[in-house]
Amino acid sequence: MTSTDLQAVVAHMGAAARAASTKMAAAPTAAKNQALLALARLLRSEAAALQPANAKDVEAAQAAGLSAPMVDRLKLTPKIIETVAEGCEQIAAMPDPIGEITNLRRRPTGISVGQMRVPLGVFGMIYESRPNVTIEAASLAIKSGNACILRGGSEAIHSNLALWKLVQAALVEAGLPADAVQLVQTTDRAAVGHLIASPEAVDVIIPRGGKGLIERISREAKVPVIKHLDGNCHVYVDAQVDMALALKVTDNAKTQKYSPCNAAESLLVHAAVAGEFLPKIGAMWAAKGVEMRCDPRGQALLKDVPQLQVVPATEQDWSEEYLAPIVSLKVVDSLDEAIAHINRYGSHHTDAILTENHPNAMRFLREVDSASVMVNASTRFADGFEYGLGAEIGISTDKFHARGPVGLEGLTSMKWVVLGQGEVRG
Amino acid sequence: MTSTDLQAVVAHMGAAARAASTKMAAAPTAAKNQALLALARLLRSEAAALQPANAKDVEAAQAAGLSAPMVDRLKLTPKIIETVAEGCEQIAAMPDPIGEITNLRRRPTGISVGQMRVPLGVFGMIYESRPNVTIEAASLAIKSGNACILRGGSEAIHSNLALWKLVQAALVEAGLPADAVQLVQTTDRAAVGHLIASPEAVDVIIPRGGKGLIERISREAKVPVIKHLDGNCHVYVDAQVDMALALKVTDNAKTQKYSPCNAAESLLVHAAVAGEFLPKIGAMWAAKGVEMRCDPRGQALLKDVPQLQVVPATEQDWSEEYLAPIVSLKVVDSLDEAIAHINRYGSHHTDAILTENHPNAMRFLREVDSASVMVNASTRFADGFEYGLGAEIGISTDKFHARGPVGLEGLTSMKWVVLGQGEVRG
């Protein structure tokens, strides 16, 4: 396809999505829930029928020499299909965010002014590998009354097409426009370029994938982007702390899973407790093979822990998102130093203080400039499901519009409603 | 100044604003209010001292042959100074939006999850002519705990510098960082280009001025923009309507003032009432010299109104923001047709239905895709003060982040707070 043809295809999809979005915005809650339940039913009844398409992607990935974890992420196993079907049912069971009117208040002029929650319109979702994202994005679009244009990875194209056909069938069964969820059917990468430069087609772009993808999209987009970059999360162990709690939570934040963005990457410990805390956490991490990159004071306190890998930290380490059994460590002399360090080197994702001191807890909550700030809890809780959003379309490391885990509400905006009885301005 | 020098100056201001923003975010409510009250006091006590600086701008504008209304907008009259001083006092009296925690709820894991309102950080404000915007922007920045970088029009540079010195004195008196409000002191237009391309310096840009300025900034900005483009506002007179109310509100929406963005530019009338309504509104507008650009049915109903200027509407008229005694008119056969017309040709700013039919009112509120939707009230009410925001930093015609009139809350974002007692993820 030539670039002009491709641009025409994207423009055509955009116009169809725009038209469908008007119908979706006005769709009854019952119809949206019916589509979600139909989709859950179809996923289960057509699970076997999805396999040949999925097998094509898996075989191509194996032939192309993709790593075993990458190939695994492509597979639509019965367990994954059941999980996404349950996800559709859970979203159907959630309250409809659309149409909610809040803060409707009478003004001195006689008019009543409030705000109504409405869909954003059309969102574009650009994602890599896992085909279940197709169903997650579609189900969030349906419930939030948006239309969406999906662009999955080329390595999952056959699986995505098969899943998308089920979405279309579910929409039609519920009397909703099939064009409300569209899939870019070409694997030409230039399609992404056209999509993210089309404010007339999409109101917001949500990329999910590697940092390279997200940086490229942020740089080139001509529409707003809900983007998720680094997760350099900190745990700060304060001077007044329950030692058992501090060990348990710090260990969980770092080692419960190494790859998620909400895993801790950097540990700050107040000098008053470092002498007791560090050898203990060091012993736990020696057993798990966690490498500790330390400032000089930390290194001195850890050097005698048997089997522990202790190396000096470089300036670069303070900014690093390892996603691995590695942690940076700094001993600090005050809460102020900890907050300043986090705001300077962190990625504004998720940071936790472990403390028994109430004023310190409150200052940390207020002054640490991150999407999630925690007291006495593991950073691993920073997640749409754990926060009770019911579903998560992505995580935002920006401050504008939505911050942190983004659920249905992040796909909406508030418009003003004014109810009068013939009032005019004097 | 060379471009490199200018870039260094903007970078320096950005770094200073960033540092000040951390202090402003943590500033006590009392200190912020003290600064606002000090600013009000200084404006009044230094009103006479501001005059020589203001006179320089006014004289230069007159010498440059600016129009009388443009020159008038530059003048810091005693009335304008009193108005902005009162504005500072009103903002001081408002509740502090910062630190508010909402929806703090216990999750099954034991953690409590809520959201805390925090400042965005640093906003950039780019505005033309009226120097009182300097005080409005500064006072909103102070109350919302943000830092800001202001760039006023070159024609008001001496007035802006004099006003800004008062802001700095007020900040220092309250123990807040003087760098929290900075003013670009060069009139070189390239400074704007550097500012809007510096995400490390500013979190959001708010332009206020002509459409040319706003389009240029939106196109070139590398940071989010809260922008206000057209106000092509509609009044739709439904089939079931109180005729006296419809005449009063329609007339107010169009003629109470022609230049504001929330004045009506287009009138849609249901065919069932057009025969009665149009000759009456036509007679009112003939007296006021309002030109009506009509579809054929409207023209037929208005052709016999004495003195009324009736001309055929072109396709272009449906999209026009006249800001003048001109209105476009279309007779429609249904609510559906009215909604479709507004969503197609409108600018998503403010649209009103005049009706006694409840289902129609509710459908209009939900289905018209505009920042403000109104029932039985004049579009002229679409304004931050009328909505009870206490102050208005701008109006957004976008859907992302803030929509419609933007007050203090539009300068904030919500971060997640998690309170635990040692919970970890399993």
Side-chain angles (χ1 to χ4, degrees):
Chain A
M1 217 183 288
T2 70
S3 171
T4 317
D5 290 345
L6 196 57
Q7 197 163 6
V9 166
V10 171
H12 181 79
M13 294 180 76
R18 192 56 79 194
S21 75
T22 306
K23 292 181 189 146
M24 290 301 288
T29 305
K32 297 190 287 186
N33 290 344
Q34 189 191 339
L36 290 165
L37 296 176
L39 180 54
R41 194 193 69 234
L42 286 168
L43 283 163
R44 292 191 181 105
S45 65
E46 303 300 314
L50 292 168
Q51 292 311 314
N54 189 233
K56 270 195 211 174
D57 290 332
V58 171
E59 282 156 26
Q62 283 164 333
L66 263 66
S67 67
M70 287 290 282
V71 172
D72 277 348
R73 286 165 68 189
L74 279 176
K75 286 183 186 162
L76 289 172
T77 63
K79 185 167 169 248
I80 282 179
I81 290 175
E82 179 56 28
T83 303
V84 292
E86 280 172 16
C88 293
E89 289 166 342
Q90 281 165 10
I91 293 172
M94 289 173 69
D96 190 342
I98 301 306
E100 171 196 33
I101 295 182
T102 47
N103 301 321
L104 189 72
R105 293 199 183 116
R106 191 72 64 93
R107 298 287 306 150
T109 49
I111 59 171
S112 293
V113 179
Q115 287 181 289
M116 181 192 280
R117 192 173 291 284
V118 292
L120 282 177
V122 180
F123 69 85
M125 181 104 184
I126 297 161
Y127 50 105
E128 291 173 336
S129 93
R130 288 186 302 146
N132 38 320
V133 175
T134 303
I135 300 297
E136 289 171 21
S139 56
L140 286 166
I142 293 168
K143 186 75 182 205
S144 61
N146 285 286
C148 67
I149 299 178
L150 307 177
R151 174 41 153 94
S154 55
E155 66 286 356
I157 183 73
H158 300 99
S159 312
N160 286 336
L161 276 166
L163 289 167
W164 172 62
K165 294 225 158 69
L166 302 184
V167 175
Q168 298 233 297
L171 285 165
V172 170
E173 183 178 324
L176 296 174
D179 285 342
V181 177
Q182 294 187 65
L183 184 77
V184 178
Q185 296 178 51
T186 165
T187 56
D188 189 334
R189 294 189 75 180
V192 171
H194 293 305
L195 188 62
I196 66 179
S198 304
E200 65 288 355
V202 291
D203 296 288
V204 58
I205 290 282
I206 305 167
R208 266 169 69 172
K211 206 174 161 182
L213 173 81
I214 291 165
E215 282 178 337
R216 179 189 148 212
I217 287 172
S218 306
R219 202 169 47 239
E220 295 174 12
K222 302 245 182 286
V223 298
V225 177
I226 295 180
K227 67 169 176 288
H228 174 252
L229 288 169
D230 293 340
N232 174 18
C233 304
H234 294 74
V235 172
Y236 165 57
V237 181
D238 198 20
Q240 276 176 267
V241 72
D242 177 318
M243 193 57 55
L245 179 152
L247 290 166
K248 181 176 71 160
V249 174
T250 304
D251 181 51
N252 183 267
K254 179 66 224 173
T255 71
Q256 192 252 347
K257 226 173 174 182
Y258 295 111
S259 59
C261 57
N262 57 18
E265 304 290 9
S266 196
L267 175 60
L268 305 175
V269 182
H270 194 284
V273 291
E276 183 182 357
F277 178 79
L278 284 178
K280 289 183 179 167
I281 197 81
M284 291 166 78
W285 287 352
K288 294 182 178 182
V290 176
E291 176 184 318
M292 297 186 73
R293 302 195 180 171
C294 308
D295 73 329
R297 283 200 285 179
Q299 206 172 354
L301 291 166
L302 287 165
K303 68 177 182 341
D304 298 328
V305 177
Q307 315 294 328
L308 182 65
Q309 295 169 267
V310 178
V311 297
T314 64
E315 175 75 9
Q316 176 60 29
D317 277 305
W318 307 128
S319 308
E320 208 66 59
E321 183 185 29
Y322 303 113
L323 303 174
I326 305 171
V327 70
S328 66
L329 163 73
K330 189 172 167 42
V331 175
V332 298
D333 290 309
S334 65
L335 174 67
D336 286 288
E337 189 183 345
I339 292 173
H341 181 97
I342 294 170
N343 285 339
R344 172 165 178 197
Y345 294 104
S347 64
H348 311 288
H349 189 296
T350 300
D351 300 288
I353 184 174
L354 311 181
T355 189
E356 295 194 318
N357 182 296
H358 180 72
N360 285 4
M362 295 313 287
R363 276 197 58 203
F364 190 92
L365 287 180
R366 179 146 173 186
E367 295 179 28
V368 170
D369 183 24
S370 297
S372 291
V373 282
M374 303 185 169
V375 176
N376 295 338
S378 170
T379 56
R380 291 279 294 111
F381 282 111
D383 173 288
F385 293 92
E386 294 294 337
Y387 283 2
L389 303 184
E392 183 182 284
I393 191 85
I395 295 182
S396 168
T397 49
D398 283 328
K399 291 183 187 181
F400 210 64
H401 186 70
R403 200 169 182 188
V406 180
L408 288 170
E409 285 195 1
L411 298 172
T412 68
S413 78
M414 300 298 273
K415 71 180 176 190
W416 295 92
V417 295
V418 175
L419 305 180
Q421 303 83 31
E423 284 80 4
V424 295
R425 254 187 100 170
Chain B
M1 217 182 287
T2 70
S3 171
T4 317
D5 290 345
L6 195 59
Q7 197 162 6
V9 167
V10 171
H12 182 79
M13 293 180 77
R18 192 57 79 194
S21 75
T22 306
K23 291 180 190 147
M24 289 301 288
T29 305
K32 298 190 288 185
N33 291 343
Q34 189 191 339
L36 290 164
L37 296 176
L39 180 54
R41 192 193 71 235
L42 287 168
L43 283 162
R44 291 192 181 103
S45 65
E46 304 300 314
L50 291 168
Q51 293 311 313
N54 188 232
K56 271 195 209 171
D57 291 332
V58 171
E59 282 156 25
Q62 284 165 333
L66 263 66
S67 67
M70 288 289 282
V71 173
D72 276 348
R73 286 165 68 188
L74 280 176
K75 287 183 185 161
L76 289 174
T77 63
K79 184 167 169 246
I80 281 179
I81 289 174
E82 179 55 28
T83 303
V84 292
E86 280 172 18
C88 293
E89 289 167 342
Q90 282 165 11
I91 294 173
M94 290 173 69
D96 190 342
I98 300 306
E100 171 196 33
I101 295 182
T102 48
N103 300 320
L104 190 72
R105 293 199 182 114
R106 191 72 64 93
R107 298 288 306 150
T109 49
I111 58 172
S112 293
V113 179
Q115 286 181 288
M116 180 191 280
R117 193 173 291 283
V118 291
L120 282 177
V122 181
F123 68 85
M125 182 104 182
I126 296 161
Y127 50 104
E128 291 173 336
S129 92
R130 287 186 301 146
N132 39 319
V133 175
T134 303
I135 299 297
E136 289 172 20
S139 56
L140 286 165
I142 293 168
K143 185 74 181 205
S144 62
N146 285 285
C148 67
I149 298 177
L150 307 177
R151 173 43 154 92
S154 54
E155 66 286 355
I157 183 72
H158 299 99
S159 311
N160 286 336
L161 276 166
L163 290 167
W164 171 63
K165 293 224 159 70
L166 301 185
V167 175
Q168 297 233 299
L171 285 165
V172 170
E173 182 178 324
L176 296 174
D179 285 342
V181 177
Q182 294 187 66
L183 184 78
V184 178
Q185 296 179 49
T186 165
T187 56
D188 189 333
R189 294 189 75 181
V192 172
H194 293 305
L195 188 62
I196 66 179
S198 305
E200 66 288 356
V202 290
D203 296 289
V204 57
I205 289 283
I206 306 167
R208 266 168 71 171
K211 206 175 161 181
L213 173 82
I214 291 165
E215 282 178 339
R216 179 189 149 213
I217 287 172
S218 305
R219 202 170 45 240
E220 296 174 11
K222 302 246 183 286
V223 298
V225 178
I226 296 181
K227 68 169 176 288
H228 173 253
L229 288 168
D230 292 340
N232 175 18
C233 304
H234 294 74
V235 173
Y236 166 57
V237 181
D238 198 19
Q240 278 176 267
V241 73
D242 178 317
M243 193 57 57
L245 179 151
L247 290 166
K248 181 177 70 161
V249 174
T250 304
D251 181 50
N252 184 266
K254 180 65 224 173
T255 72
Q256 192 253 346
K257 226 173 173 182
Y258 295 112
S259 59
C261 57
N262 57 18
E265 305 289 8
S266 195
L267 175 60
L268 304 175
V269 182
H270 194 284
V273 292
E276 183 182 356
F277 179 79
L278 284 178
K280 288 182 178 166
I281 197 83
M284 291 166 76
W285 287 353
K288 294 183 178 182
V290 176
E291 175 184 318
M292 297 187 72
R293 302 195 180 169
C294 308
D295 73 329
R297 283 200 284 179
Q299 204 172 356
L301 291 166
L302 286 166
K303 69 177 177 351
D304 298 328
V305 177
Q307 316 293 330
L308 183 65
Q309 296 169 267
V310 178
V311 298
T314 64
E315 175 74 10
Q316 176 59 28
D317 277 305
W318 307 129
S319 309
E320 208 66 58
E321 183 185 27
Y322 303 113
L323 304 175
I326 306 171
V327 70
S328 66
L329 164 72
K330 189 172 168 40
V331 175
V332 297
D333 289 308
S334 66
L335 173 67
D336 286 290
E337 190 183 344
I339 292 173
H341 181 97
I342 293 169
N343 285 339
R344 174 167 176 194
Y345 294 104
S347 64
H348 312 288
H349 189 295
T350 300
D351 300 288
I353 184 174
L354 310 182
T355 189
E356 295 194 318
N357 183 296
H358 180 70
N360 285 5
M362 295 312 288
R363 275 197 58 205
F364 190 92
L365 287 179
R366 179 148 174 182
E367 295 179 28
V368 170
D369 183 25
S370 296
S372 290
V373 283
M374 302 186 169
V375 176
N376 295 338
S378 171
T379 55
R380 291 279 293 111
F381 281 111
D383 174 287
F385 293 92
E386 294 294 339
Y387 284 3
L389 301 184
E392 183 182 285
I393 190 86
I395 295 182
S396 168
T397 49
D398 282 329
K399 293 182 185 181
F400 209 65
H401 185 69
R403 201 170 180 187
V406 180
L408 288 170
E409 285 195 2
L411 297 172
T412 68
S413 79
M414 300 298 272
K415 71 181 176 189
W416 295 92
V417 295
V418 175
L419 305 181
Q421 302 84 30
E423 285 80 3
V424 295
R425 255 187 99 170

